[in-house]
Tab-separated table of all heavy atoms in Angstrom:
chain	number	residue	atom	x	y	z
A	22	MET	N	0.842	-1.194	0.000
A	22	MET	CA	0.000	0.000	0.000
A	22	MET	C	0.883	1.253	0.000
A	22	MET	O	0.645	2.167	-0.768
A	22	MET	CB	-0.907	-0.065	1.237
A	22	MET	CG	-1.817	1.080	1.382
A	22	MET	SD	-3.128	0.920	0.172
A	22	MET	CE	-4.165	2.228	0.626
A	23	ILE	N	1.887	1.278	0.896
A	23	ILE	CA	2.770	2.446	0.980
A	23	ILE	C	3.567	2.601	-0.302
A	23	ILE	O	3.766	3.721	-0.788
A	23	ILE	CB	3.698	2.323	2.201
A	23	ILE	CG1	2.871	2.395	3.482
A	23	ILE	CG2	4.759	3.416	2.194
A	23	ILE	CD1	3.649	2.106	4.737
A	24	ALA	N	4.004	1.480	-0.870
A	24	ALA	CA	4.778	1.529	-2.110
A	24	ALA	C	3.967	2.146	-3.241
A	24	ALA	O	4.492	2.955	-4.023
A	24	ALA	CB	5.250	0.130	-2.494
A	25	VAL	N	2.703	1.800	-3.339
A	25	VAL	CA	1.836	2.354	-4.384
A	25	VAL	C	1.694	3.853	-4.200
A	25	VAL	O	1.799	4.621	-5.163
A	25	VAL	CB	0.453	1.657	-4.368
A	25	VAL	CG1	-0.507	2.336	-5.331
A	25	VAL	CG2	0.598	0.178	-4.708
A	26	ILE	N	1.490	4.281	-2.977
A	26	ILE	CA	1.347	5.713	-2.697
A	26	ILE	C	2.638	6.447	-3.053
A	26	ILE	O	2.605	7.518	-3.667
A	26	ILE	CB	0.952	5.951	-1.228
A	26	ILE	CG1	-0.450	5.397	-0.976
A	26	ILE	CG2	1.023	7.428	-0.877
A	26	ILE	CD1	-0.860	5.383	0.472
A	27	LEU	N	3.789	5.873	-2.695
A	27	LEU	CA	5.066	6.503	-3.023
A	27	LEU	C	5.265	6.620	-4.528
A	27	LEU	O	5.737	7.651	-5.023
A	27	LEU	CB	6.226	5.723	-2.406
A	27	LEU	CG	6.445	5.920	-0.919
A	27	LEU	CD1	7.518	4.968	-0.407
A	27	LEU	CD2	6.842	7.352	-0.630
A	28	VAL	N	4.922	5.588	-5.268
A	28	VAL	CA	5.076	5.633	-6.721
A	28	VAL	C	4.181	6.710	-7.313
A	28	VAL	O	4.593	7.453	-8.207
A	28	VAL	CB	4.782	4.253	-7.350
A	28	VAL	CG1	4.686	4.350	-8.865
A	28	VAL	CG2	5.853	3.252	-6.958
A	29	VAL	N	2.977	6.834	-6.796
A	29	VAL	CA	2.043	7.839	-7.317
A	29	VAL	C	2.502	9.247	-6.951
A	29	VAL	O	2.511	10.149	-7.783
A	29	VAL	CB	0.607	7.577	-6.795
A	29	VAL	CG1	-0.320	8.740	-7.133
A	29	VAL	CG2	0.066	6.276	-7.366
A	30	VAL	N	2.913	9.441	-5.699
A	30	VAL	CA	3.280	10.781	-5.237
A	30	VAL	C	4.645	11.203	-5.776
A	30	VAL	O	4.802	12.302	-6.302
A	30	VAL	CB	3.273	10.836	-3.685
A	30	VAL	CG1	3.831	12.154	-3.186
A	30	VAL	CG2	1.864	10.630	-3.161
A	31	VAL	N	5.652	10.351	-5.665
A	31	VAL	CA	7.019	10.705	-6.042
A	31	VAL	C	7.267	10.441	-7.522
A	31	VAL	O	7.944	11.222	-8.186
A	31	VAL	CB	8.044	9.919	-5.183
A	31	VAL	CG1	9.453	10.212	-5.631
A	31	VAL	CG2	7.857	10.252	-3.722
A	32	GLY	N	6.757	9.367	-8.010
A	32	GLY	CA	6.988	8.993	-9.403
A	32	GLY	C	8.014	7.888	-9.481
A	32	GLY	O	8.937	7.831	-8.663
A	33	PRO	N	7.870	7.028	-10.474
A	33	PRO	CA	8.769	5.873	-10.569
A	33	PRO	C	10.222	6.247	-10.878
A	33	PRO	O	11.138	5.537	-10.492
A	33	PRO	CB	8.169	5.032	-11.687
A	33	PRO	CG	7.296	5.950	-12.453
A	33	PRO	CD	6.855	7.010	-11.501
A	34	LYS	N	10.439	7.364	-11.532
A	34	LYS	CA	11.813	7.766	-11.879
A	34	LYS	C	12.580	8.248	-10.648
A	34	LYS	O	13.758	7.949	-10.489
A	34	LYS	CB	11.804	8.893	-12.915
A	34	LYS	CG	11.333	8.489	-14.276
A	34	LYS	CD	11.382	9.670	-15.215
A	34	LYS	CE	10.767	9.342	-16.549
A	34	LYS	NZ	10.738	10.509	-17.423
A	35	ASP	N	11.928	8.999	-9.797
A	35	ASP	CA	12.590	9.615	-8.651
A	35	ASP	C	12.590	8.743	-7.402
A	35	ASP	O	13.299	9.030	-6.440
A	35	ASP	CB	11.931	10.952	-8.311
A	35	ASP	CG	12.066	11.964	-9.433
A	35	ASP	OD1	13.067	11.883	-10.173
A	35	ASP	OD2	11.179	12.824	-9.566
A	36	LEU	N	11.815	7.683	-7.408
A	36	LEU	CA	11.681	6.839	-6.213
A	36	LEU	C	13.005	6.198	-5.770
A	36	LEU	O	13.335	6.277	-4.580
A	36	LEU	CB	10.611	5.775	-6.433
A	36	LEU	CG	10.247	4.937	-5.209
A	36	LEU	CD1	9.696	5.833	-4.098
A	36	LEU	CD2	9.216	3.890	-5.585
A	37	PRO	N	13.797	5.596	-6.650
A	37	PRO	CA	15.062	4.992	-6.183
A	37	PRO	C	16.008	6.007	-5.527
A	37	PRO	O	16.609	5.725	-4.491
A	37	PRO	CB	15.682	4.405	-7.457
A	37	PRO	CG	14.537	4.195	-8.375
A	37	PRO	CD	13.568	5.301	-8.067
A	38	GLY	N	16.131	7.190	-6.116
A	38	GLY	CA	16.983	8.223	-5.524
A	38	GLY	C	16.475	8.671	-4.172
A	38	GLY	O	17.261	8.876	-3.239
A	39	MET	N	15.163	8.810	-4.070
A	39	MET	CA	14.580	9.225	-2.799
A	39	MET	C	14.815	8.163	-1.726
A	39	MET	O	15.142	8.483	-0.585
A	39	MET	CB	13.086	9.477	-2.946
A	39	MET	CG	12.456	10.074	-1.704
A	39	MET	SD	10.679	10.037	-1.726
A	39	MET	CE	10.396	8.355	-1.241
A	40	LEU	N	14.686	6.888	-2.092
A	40	LEU	CA	14.905	5.820	-1.125
A	40	LEU	C	16.369	5.749	-0.697
A	40	LEU	O	16.669	5.488	0.474
A	40	LEU	CB	14.445	4.481	-1.700
A	40	LEU	CG	12.933	4.344	-1.888
A	40	LEU	CD1	12.601	3.026	-2.563
A	40	LEU	CD2	12.195	4.484	-0.583
A	41	ARG	N	17.300	5.992	-1.630
A	41	ARG	CA	18.720	6.019	-1.260
A	41	ARG	C	18.995	7.160	-0.286
A	41	ARG	O	19.713	6.989	0.703
A	41	ARG	CB	19.600	6.169	-2.508
A	41	ARG	CG	19.883	4.872	-3.202
A	41	ARG	CD	20.973	5.050	-4.254
A	41	ARG	NE	20.568	5.913	-5.352
A	41	ARG	CZ	19.885	5.513	-6.421
A	41	ARG	NH1	19.547	4.248	-6.537
A	41	ARG	NH2	19.559	6.362	-7.361
A	42	THR	N	18.437	8.324	-0.573
A	42	THR	CA	18.616	9.473	0.316
A	42	THR	C	18.030	9.176	1.690
A	42	THR	O	18.647	9.468	2.716
A	42	THR	CB	17.948	10.732	-0.285
A	42	THR	OG1	18.536	10.989	-1.554
A	42	THR	CG2	18.131	11.928	0.619
A	43	PHE	N	16.867	8.577	1.716
A	43	PHE	CA	16.236	8.214	2.982
A	43	PHE	C	17.115	7.233	3.752
A	43	PHE	O	17.287	7.360	4.966
A	43	PHE	CB	14.852	7.607	2.728
A	43	PHE	CG	14.144	7.179	3.974
A	43	PHE	CD1	13.585	8.126	4.820
A	43	PHE	CD2	14.051	5.843	4.310
A	43	PHE	CE1	12.931	7.740	5.979
A	43	PHE	CE2	13.408	5.437	5.457
A	43	PHE	CZ	12.841	6.389	6.299
A	44	GLY	N	17.700	6.262	3.045
A	44	GLY	CA	18.592	5.298	3.683
A	44	GLY	C	19.818	5.970	4.286
A	44	GLY	O	20.242	5.645	5.389
A	45	ARG	N	20.405	6.931	3.564
A	45	ARG	CA	21.575	7.663	4.093
A	45	ARG	C	21.211	8.472	5.332
A	45	ARG	O	21.962	8.489	6.310
A	45	ARG	CB	22.143	8.598	3.024
A	45	ARG	CG	23.011	7.896	2.034
A	45	ARG	CD	23.712	8.907	1.119
A	45	ARG	NE	23.634	8.383	-0.231
A	45	ARG	CZ	23.049	8.966	-1.252
A	45	ARG	NH1	22.522	10.147	-1.127
A	45	ARG	NH2	23.013	8.385	-2.434
A	46	VAL	N	20.070	9.124	5.284
A	46	VAL	CA	19.625	9.925	6.423
A	46	VAL	C	19.393	9.030	7.643
A	46	VAL	O	19.792	9.368	8.758
A	46	VAL	CB	18.353	10.727	6.067
A	46	VAL	CG1	17.725	11.347	7.302
A	46	VAL	CG2	18.680	11.808	5.048
A	47	MET	N	18.782	7.880	7.429
A	47	MET	CA	18.539	6.960	8.540
A	47	MET	C	19.858	6.431	9.108
A	47	MET	O	19.999	6.280	10.320
A	47	MET	CB	17.656	5.794	8.092
A	47	MET	CG	16.223	6.200	7.817
A	47	MET	SD	15.422	7.034	9.204
A	47	MET	CE	15.450	5.760	10.426
A	48	LYS	N	20.841	6.167	8.247
A	48	LYS	CA	22.145	5.704	8.709
A	48	LYS	C	22.811	6.772	9.572
A	48	LYS	O	23.367	6.480	10.639
A	48	LYS	CB	23.032	5.362	7.515
A	48	LYS	CG	24.376	4.808	7.896
A	48	LYS	CD	25.200	4.458	6.672
A	48	LYS	CE	26.563	3.957	7.074
A	48	LYS	NZ	27.385	3.638	5.910
A	49	GLN	N	22.748	8.025	9.134
A	49	GLN	CA	23.319	9.122	9.917
A	49	GLN	C	22.591	9.274	11.247
A	49	GLN	O	23.212	9.512	12.283
A	49	GLN	CB	23.255	10.435	9.140
A	49	GLN	CG	24.214	10.499	7.983
A	49	GLN	CD	24.042	11.768	7.158
A	49	GLN	OE1	22.998	12.422	7.209
A	49	GLN	NE2	25.046	12.110	6.386
A	50	PHE	N	21.281	9.142	11.219
A	50	PHE	CA	20.492	9.252	12.441
A	50	PHE	C	20.874	8.162	13.436
A	50	PHE	O	21.063	8.420	14.624
A	50	PHE	CB	19.000	9.185	12.109
A	50	PHE	CG	18.120	9.248	13.319
A	50	PHE	CD1	17.937	10.441	13.994
A	50	PHE	CD2	17.486	8.114	13.791
A	50	PHE	CE1	17.130	10.506	15.121
A	50	PHE	CE2	16.685	8.159	14.911
A	50	PHE	CZ	16.504	9.361	15.576
A	51	ARG	N	21.003	6.920	12.953
A	51	ARG	CA	21.392	5.818	13.841
A	51	ARG	C	22.780	6.053	14.422
A	51	ARG	O	23.036	5.755	15.593
A	51	ARG	CB	21.371	4.499	13.083
A	51	ARG	CG	19.993	3.978	12.849
A	51	ARG	CD	20.032	2.557	12.309
A	51	ARG	NE	18.806	2.292	11.588
A	51	ARG	CZ	18.731	2.024	10.300
A	51	ARG	NH1	19.810	1.953	9.576
A	51	ARG	NH2	17.580	1.805	9.730
A	52	SER	N	23.682	6.569	13.586
A	52	SER	CA	25.037	6.843	14.051
A	52	SER	C	25.026	7.911	15.145
A	52	SER	O	25.690	7.769	16.175
A	52	SER	CB	25.902	7.296	12.879
A	52	SER	OG	27.177	7.678	13.320
A	53	MET	N	24.271	8.974	14.927
A	53	MET	CA	24.188	10.042	15.925
A	53	MET	C	23.542	9.524	17.209
A	53	MET	O	23.973	9.879	18.303
A	53	MET	CB	23.393	11.228	15.374
A	53	MET	CG	24.147	11.976	14.307
A	53	MET	SD	23.329	13.402	13.523
A	53	MET	CE	21.735	13.502	14.191
A	54	ALA	N	22.523	8.694	17.083
A	54	ALA	CA	21.868	8.130	18.267
A	54	ALA	C	22.836	7.233	19.036
A	54	ALA	O	22.875	7.261	20.267
A	54	ALA	CB	20.616	7.348	17.861
A	55	GLY	N	23.640	6.459	18.326
A	55	GLY	CA	24.636	5.609	18.980
A	55	GLY	C	25.693	6.431	19.694
A	55	GLY	O	26.099	6.104	20.815
A	56	ASP	N	26.147	7.521	19.052
A	56	ASP	CA	27.122	8.402	19.687
A	56	ASP	C	26.547	9.028	20.952
A	56	ASP	O	27.217	9.106	21.982
A	56	ASP	CB	27.560	9.514	18.730
A	56	ASP	CG	28.416	9.010	17.594
A	56	ASP	OD1	28.956	7.880	17.697
A	56	ASP	OD2	28.548	9.742	16.585
A	57	PHE	N	25.296	9.474	20.871
A	57	PHE	CA	24.642	10.065	22.037
A	57	PHE	C	24.554	9.047	23.171
A	57	PHE	O	24.858	9.352	24.323
A	57	PHE	CB	23.246	10.565	21.674
A	57	PHE	CG	22.481	11.081	22.851
A	57	PHE	CD1	22.741	12.336	23.371
A	57	PHE	CD2	21.513	10.294	23.463
A	57	PHE	CE1	22.043	12.809	24.474
A	57	PHE	CE2	20.815	10.750	24.553
A	57	PHE	CZ	21.078	12.010	25.059
A	58	ARG	N	24.175	7.830	22.823
A	58	ARG	CA	24.037	6.795	23.855
A	58	ARG	C	25.384	6.493	24.504
A	58	ARG	O	25.479	6.335	25.728
A	58	ARG	CB	23.458	5.535	23.251
A	58	ARG	CG	23.208	4.486	24.280
A	58	ARG	CD	22.530	3.283	23.703
A	58	ARG	NE	22.237	2.360	24.768
A	58	ARG	CZ	21.116	1.699	24.896
A	58	ARG	NH1	20.182	1.864	24.017
A	58	ARG	NH2	20.944	0.881	25.892
A	59	ARG	N	26.454	6.399	23.702
A	59	ARG	CA	27.785	6.141	24.262
A	59	ARG	C	28.212	7.276	25.190
A	59	ARG	O	28.749	7.040	26.265
A	59	ARG	CB	28.813	5.959	23.150
A	59	ARG	CG	28.830	4.555	22.577
A	59	ARG	CD	29.986	4.350	21.626
A	59	ARG	NE	29.842	5.090	20.373
A	59	ARG	CZ	29.053	4.718	19.369
A	59	ARG	NH1	28.346	3.623	19.458
A	59	ARG	NH2	28.981	5.450	18.282
A	60	GLN	N	27.983	8.524	24.773
A	60	GLN	CA	28.340	9.662	25.623
A	60	GLN	C	27.539	9.645	26.911
A	60	GLN	O	28.070	9.929	27.991
A	60	GLN	CB	28.109	10.971	24.876
A	60	GLN	CG	29.108	11.218	23.775
A	60	GLN	CD	28.798	12.480	22.996
A	60	GLN	OE1	27.813	13.166	23.256
A	60	GLN	NE2	29.640	12.800	22.030
A	61	PHE	N	26.274	9.312	26.822
A	61	PHE	CA	25.423	9.244	28.008
A	61	PHE	C	25.908	8.147	28.950
A	61	PHE	O	26.016	8.358	30.156
A	61	PHE	CB	23.972	8.993	27.583
A	61	PHE	CG	23.009	8.990	28.730
A	61	PHE	CD1	22.558	10.185	29.274
A	61	PHE	CD2	22.553	7.796	29.273
A	61	PHE	CE1	21.679	10.191	30.338
A	61	PHE	CE2	21.678	7.790	30.330
A	61	PHE	CZ	21.235	8.988	30.861
A	62	ASP	N	26.218	6.970	28.391
A	62	ASP	CA	26.716	5.865	29.218
A	62	ASP	C	28.045	6.223	29.880
A	62	ASP	O	28.265	5.912	31.047
A	62	ASP	CB	26.879	4.598	28.388
A	62	ASP	CG	25.548	3.975	27.993
A	62	ASP	OD1	24.511	4.328	28.603
A	62	ASP	OD2	25.543	3.147	27.059
A	63	ASP	N	28.934	6.882	29.134
A	63	ASP	CA	30.220	7.300	29.702
A	63	ASP	C	30.022	8.294	30.846
A	63	ASP	O	30.677	8.193	31.885
A	63	ASP	CB	31.113	7.930	28.629
A	63	ASP	CG	31.617	6.906	27.622
A	63	ASP	OD1	31.507	5.693	27.888
A	63	ASP	OD2	32.112	7.335	26.553
A	64	ALA	N	29.118	9.244	30.650
A	64	ALA	CA	28.847	10.230	31.696
A	64	ALA	C	28.252	9.551	32.928
A	64	ALA	O	28.583	9.901	34.063
A	64	ALA	CB	27.904	11.308	31.175
A	65	LEU	N	27.401	8.567	32.703
A	65	LEU	CA	26.789	7.845	33.813
A	65	LEU	C	27.850	7.066	34.596
A	65	LEU	O	27.859	7.081	35.827
A	65	LEU	CB	25.725	6.894	33.271
A	65	LEU	CG	24.762	6.285	34.266
A	65	LEU	CD1	23.979	7.366	34.990
A	65	LEU	CD2	23.806	5.360	33.538
A	66	LYS	N	28.758	6.399	33.878
A	66	LYS	CA	29.838	5.666	34.542
A	66	LYS	C	30.748	6.617	35.318
A	66	LYS	O	31.175	6.312	36.428
A	66	LYS	CB	30.656	4.894	33.516
A	66	LYS	CG	29.945	3.702	32.950
A	66	LYS	CD	30.778	3.033	31.879
A	66	LYS	CE	30.003	1.944	31.179
A	66	LYS	NZ	30.758	1.374	30.053
A	67	GLU	N	31.029	7.771	34.733
A	67	GLU	CA	31.881	8.753	35.405
A	67	GLU	C	31.213	9.275	36.670
A	67	GLU	O	31.852	9.408	37.716
A	67	GLU	CB	32.179	9.917	34.451
A	67	GLU	CG	33.165	10.910	34.994
A	67	GLU	CD	33.468	11.996	33.986
A	67	GLU	OE1	33.606	11.685	32.800
A	67	GLU	OE2	33.559	13.168	34.414
A	68	ALA	N	29.926	9.553	36.593
A	68	ALA	CA	29.201	10.030	37.774
A	68	ALA	C	29.172	8.957	38.857
A	68	ALA	O	29.313	9.262	40.045
A	68	ALA	CB	27.784	10.434	37.389
A	69	GLU	N	29.019	7.711	38.450
A	69	GLU	CA	29.013	6.611	39.413
A	69	GLU	C	30.384	6.479	40.075
A	69	GLU	O	30.488	6.256	41.273
A	69	GLU	CB	28.628	5.304	38.715
A	69	GLU	CG	28.570	4.107	39.629
A	69	GLU	CD	27.445	4.156	40.630
A	69	GLU	OE1	26.456	4.860	40.400
A	69	GLU	OE2	27.564	3.495	41.669
A	70	ALA	N	31.445	6.632	39.294
A	70	ALA	CA	32.800	6.529	39.842
A	70	ALA	C	33.078	7.671	40.819
A	70	ALA	O	33.745	7.485	41.830
A	70	ALA	CB	33.820	6.544	38.712
A	71	ARG	N	32.579	8.845	40.536
A	71	ARG	CA	32.765	9.986	41.445
A	71	ARG	C	31.978	9.803	42.728
A	71	ARG	O	32.399	10.215	43.796
A	71	ARG	CB	32.307	11.279	40.775
A	71	ARG	CG	33.256	11.779	39.745
A	71	ARG	CD	32.767	13.087	39.207
A	71	ARG	NE	33.577	13.520	38.083
A	71	ARG	CZ	33.234	14.474	37.257
A	71	ARG	NH1	32.083	15.102	37.420
A	71	ARG	NH2	34.018	14.807	36.262
A	72	ARG	N	30.815	9.188	42.595
A	72	ARG	CA	29.940	9.030	43.764
A	72	ARG	C	30.537	8.047	44.760
A	72	ARG	O	30.436	8.225	45.959
A	72	ARG	CB	28.568	8.525	43.306
A	72	ARG	CG	27.528	8.510	44.387
A	72	ARG	CD	26.167	8.206	43.832
A	72	ARG	NE	26.091	6.851	43.334
A	72	ARG	CZ	25.511	5.845	43.995
A	72	ARG	NH1	24.956	6.062	45.155
A	72	ARG	NH2	25.469	4.651	43.481
A	73	ARG	N	31.199	7.028	44.265
A	73	ARG	CA	31.761	6.011	45.131
A	73	ARG	C	33.277	5.969	44.923
A	73	ARG	O	33.738	5.602	43.861
A	73	ARG	CB	31.167	4.661	44.784
A	73	ARG	CG	31.499	3.624	45.804
A	73	ARG	CD	30.872	2.288	45.535
A	73	ARG	NE	29.778	2.335	44.585
A	73	ARG	CZ	29.343	1.286	43.919
A	73	ARG	NH1	29.902	0.133	44.097
A	73	ARG	NH2	28.356	1.384	43.074
A	74	PRO	N	34.042	6.336	45.935
A	74	PRO	CA	35.508	6.270	45.801
A	74	PRO	C	35.949	4.837	45.509
A	74	PRO	O	35.355	3.886	45.991
A	74	PRO	CB	36.030	6.723	47.160
A	74	PRO	CG	34.899	7.453	47.793
A	74	PRO	CD	33.642	6.882	47.214
A	75	GLN	N	37.003	4.692	44.725
A	75	GLN	CA	37.441	3.369	44.298
A	75	GLN	C	37.961	2.516	45.438
A	75	GLN	O	37.828	1.315	45.432
A	75	GLN	CB	38.515	3.491	43.223
A	75	GLN	CG	37.957	3.962	41.910
A	75	GLN	CD	39.025	4.026	40.846
A	75	GLN	OE1	40.209	4.017	41.151
A	75	GLN	NE2	38.604	4.130	39.608
A	76	GLY	N	38.583	3.112	46.425
A	76	GLY	CA	39.165	2.344	47.511
A	76	GLY	C	38.150	1.809	48.494
A	76	GLY	O	38.434	0.909	49.264
A	77	HIS	N	36.953	2.338	48.481
A	77	HIS	CA	35.935	1.917	49.436
A	77	HIS	C	34.902	1.034	48.771
A	77	HIS	O	34.478	1.276	47.671
A	77	HIS	CB	35.225	3.143	50.030
A	77	HIS	CG	36.142	4.010	50.815
A	77	HIS	ND1	36.545	5.233	50.364
A	77	HIS	CD2	36.751	3.819	52.007
A	77	HIS	CE1	37.359	5.767	51.261
A	77	HIS	NE2	37.510	4.927	52.257
A	78	ARG	N	34.527	0.035	49.489
A	78	ARG	CA	33.459	-0.828	49.026
A	78	ARG	C	32.364	-0.815	50.079
A	78	ARG	O	32.623	-0.601	51.252
A	78	ARG	CB	33.945	-2.260	48.839
A	78	ARG	CG	34.922	-2.383	47.711
A	78	ARG	CD	35.244	-3.813	47.458
A	78	ARG	NE	36.180	-3.899	46.349
A	78	ARG	CZ	36.740	-4.998	45.977
A	78	ARG	NH1	36.497	-6.123	46.609
A	78	ARG	NH2	37.585	-5.006	44.963
A	79	ARG	N	31.165	-1.047	49.625
A	79	ARG	CA	30.068	-1.096	50.586
A	79	ARG	C	30.250	-2.282	51.493
A	79	ARG	O	30.562	-3.386	51.082
A	79	ARG	CB	28.729	-1.222	49.860
A	79	ARG	CG	28.301	0.037	49.238
A	79	ARG	CD	26.901	-0.129	48.742
A	79	ARG	NE	26.439	1.142	48.203
A	79	ARG	CZ	25.289	1.311	47.606
A	79	ARG	NH1	24.488	0.290	47.445
A	79	ARG	NH2	24.956	2.484	47.167
A	80	ARG	N	30.035	-2.047	52.762
A	80	ARG	CA	30.108	-3.122	53.735
A	80	ARG	C	28.699	-3.547	54.085
A	80	ARG	O	27.815	-2.721	54.288
A	80	ARG	CB	30.827	-2.676	55.002
A	80	ARG	CG	32.262	-2.331	54.752
A	80	ARG	CD	32.907	-1.907	56.023
A	80	ARG	NE	34.272	-1.458	55.740
A	80	ARG	CZ	35.051	-0.915	56.649
A	80	ARG	NH1	34.628	-0.745	57.873
A	80	ARG	NH2	36.269	-0.538	56.328
A	81	SER	N	28.515	-4.828	54.186
A	81	SER	CA	27.173	-5.309	54.557
A	81	SER	C	27.036	-5.190	56.075
A	81	SER	O	28.000	-5.274	56.833
A	81	SER	CB	26.977	-6.759	54.093
A	81	SER	OG	27.894	-7.597	54.771
A	82	LEU	N	25.827	-5.003	56.503
A	82	LEU	CA	25.545	-4.859	57.934
A	82	LEU	C	25.392	-6.215	58.600
A	82	LEU	O	25.250	-6.291	59.818
A	82	LEU	CB	24.279	-4.038	58.132
A	82	LEU	CG	24.378	-2.589	57.618
A	82	LEU	CD1	23.020	-1.909	57.758
A	82	LEU	CD2	25.430	-1.821	58.386
A	83	ALA	N	25.418	-7.270	57.846
A	83	ALA	CA	25.205	-8.608	58.403
A	83	ALA	C	26.442	-9.173	59.047
A	83	ALA	O	27.514	-8.884	58.971
A	83	ALA	CB	24.742	-9.565	57.324
């Protein structure tokens, strides 16, 4: 159904180019999302390391 609508709206000549462009944009988006996630995870690990000094470990009360 979507393919038929795309062919009618975009046209059969321009459809392959449009799909390639869409694929490139999605690849860039995924890359940026992955970079954001890595930076967020790194910041979270850094905050956790600052919160708990490395030489100290939690002691159980038992």
Side-chain angles (χ1 to χ4, degrees):
M22 180 74 174
I23 294 172
V25 173
I26 294 171
L27 283 173
V28 169
V29 170
V30 172
V31 176
K34 291 181 187 176
D35 297 331
L36 187 61
M39 187 193 80
L40 291 176
R41 276 191 294 275
T42 301
F43 179 75
R45 280 188 223 120
V46 169
M47 290 305 297
K48 183 179 178 181
Q49 289 175 340
F50 178 74
R51 284 190 204 117
S52 175
M53 289 179 357
D56 290 343
F57 175 78
R58 184 175 184 138
R59 277 188 290 282
Q60 288 176 358
F61 183 80
D62 288 344
D63 290 346
L65 193 60
K66 288 177 187 175
E67 186 177 319
E69 181 68 23
R71 285 183 187 166
R72 188 171 67 102
R73 191 177 343 160
Q75 288 182 343
H77 296 108
R78 292 187 179 173
R79 285 189 176 175
R80 296 180 185 174
S81 64
L82 297 175

